[in-house]
Amino acid sequence: MARTLLALFAVALAAPQFGCTLDLGGGGGGGGTVDFREGYAFIRKDDRKVYVADRFDFSQVARLSTAGNARHPSLSKDGRQVVFVRAFAGDTELLTVPTTGDIAPTRLLASSATQKNLRTPVFSPDGTRIVFAFDDGVTSFLGVVNTDGSGFATVAGSATLSYAAPSFYADGSAVLAVAGSPVTGYTQLEKVVLATGAPTNVANNLGDAQAVVNRAVLSPDGTRAAFDGRTSTAANRIFVVDLATRLVTQLTDYPSDPSANDSFPCWLGNTQVTFSSDSGGNDAVYALQASAQMTSGGLQMASAIEPWYGPNP
């Protein structure tokens, strides 16, 4: 409470270096301020708008976008920008918005006849580029665009192998991506060098998962990846793969709620995996130790889906 009062007082005097005056979207939806330093960017299912919540108090959320149909937000490494996708009549567009909330979202790239269904964008570590997935016909490709909207290029994808859900390695030269088929499923993880598009297989065994559903994402130190996998029961669970040993473990399980689905994992530091789940009939964000197996719990934030945590190390 003391920190919140101090933040309010500071904003009343002058704009803070890394604070923000935002339209609060939580509770009764009143006005106020949120000093976002570290925490979640996410979507609320009821209005499909982009929000942030600082780790100091996840119950205080701030809306960054006013138009609906938003999806797949992710934070820049410094936590100052969110990139997300918005669906509109015809297809999709990529937008960025500052976590300060004082500037309206900026369109970077709109879909075209040969770049459809833009999705899962992520910032490069230096904040100058965004890599994302898109469709051309029945094939899914990886594309890259500069954060000023210039320099679009196709990175990876072919008639025989599709790519999706990129996440950056720490040096920014390559991404981890899921590979396979949008029709039969993404069943592999590959490292793709951005300069050349050259792929290297990282894992072709997903353990008890049959395919990656929405996202695979590297841990900040690059040693592990978390993904949401479809199981033999058709429910989605969170899995973690050790990229050195290629050992895959199932993180989440719900014996009393077998039809629950987990989705959109990301990392909270190097030791925790956070994700959204509809377990118990609610949409909420949870965080669990990455070393855990077949467990549940760890509630972080209610009324939230598609989370991305940052800044990370």
Side-chain angles (χ1 to χ4, degrees):
M1 178 62 72
R3 176 178 163 185
T4 302
L5 291 174
L6 288 172
L8 288 169
F9 180 68
V11 170
L13 294 176
Q17 181 179 6
F18 194 37
C20 46
T21 301
L22 301 177
D23 177 12
L24 291 184
T33 63
V34 171
D35 185 15
F36 183 83
R37 298 171 184 268
E38 178 183 336
Y40 287 105
F42 63 96
I43 302 294
R44 278 195 158 167
K45 190 175 182 179
D46 58 351
D47 63 8
R48 300 295 312 189
K49 296 175 183 178
V50 180
Y51 291 82
V52 291
D54 187 77
R55 66 176 298 181
F56 177 68
D57 184 358
F58 287 143
S59 69
Q60 293 295 310
V61 305
R63 185 170 60 239
L64 298 185
S65 68
T66 56
N69 297 320
R71 60 187 69 166
H72 309 167
S74 67
L75 284 155
S76 59
K77 186 171 177 58
D78 62 9
R80 294 178 181 267
Q81 293 279 329
V82 175
V83 61
F84 65 99
V85 174
R86 188 178 75 88
F88 62 95
D91 214 297
T92 48
E93 59 185 358
L94 292 183
L95 302 102
T96 59
V97 63
T99 51
T100 53
D102 55 354
I103 300 175
T106 299
R107 177 194 279 185
L108 297 185
L109 187 71
S111 59
S112 68
T114 55
Q115 292 102 39
K116 308 281 285 184
N117 189 25
L118 312 182
R119 59 195 186 277
T120 56
V122 289
F123 283 98
S124 61
D126 64 5
T128 64
R129 296 179 293 173
I130 292 168
V131 175
F132 58 96
F134 69 90
D135 293 340
D136 184 358
V138 298
T139 302
S140 177
F141 295 83
L142 297 183
V144 62
V145 66
N146 296 326
T147 49
D148 63 2
S150 66
F152 167 79
T154 299
V155 174
S158 69
T160 58
L161 190 63
S162 290
Y163 290 88
S167 64
F168 268 92
Y169 284 84
D171 65 3
S173 67
V175 294
L176 180 78
V178 298
S181 165
V183 178
T184 60
Y186 294 99
T187 58
Q188 303 175 61
L189 301 179
E190 294 203 340
K191 180 178 182 178
V192 178
V193 177
L194 296 182
T196 64
T200 302
N201 188 265
V202 173
N204 54 18
N205 172 23
L206 301 181
D208 290 333
Q210 297 181 334
V212 178
V213 180
N214 295 295
R215 182 158 73 196
V217 60
L218 275 170
S219 59
D221 63 8
T223 62
R224 292 182 284 190
F227 63 91
D228 49 358
R230 185 179 65 248
T231 67
S232 59
T233 64
N236 303 333
R237 297 288 181 264
I238 303 301
F239 295 81
V240 176
V241 53
D242 184 308
L243 298 180
T245 66
R246 301 196 178 188
L247 176 66
V248 180
T249 56
Q250 183 175 327
L251 178 61
T252 59
D253 193 36
Y254 310 94
S256 62
D257 192 5
S259 62
N261 286 292
D262 305 323
S263 60
F264 289 95
C266 58
W267 288 86
L268 199 170
N270 287 304
T271 61
Q272 288 184 285
V273 176
T274 182
F275 56 94
S276 57
S277 179
D278 64 5
S279 59
N282 301 303
D283 292 304
V285 171
Y286 301 83
L288 294 168
Q289 290 295 316
S291 57
Q293 296 184 41
M294 306 293 283
T295 189
S296 61
L299 178 65
Q300 294 268 290
M301 187 167 50
S303 302
I305 60 174
E306 301 180 17
W308 188 279
Y309 192 92
N312 269 315

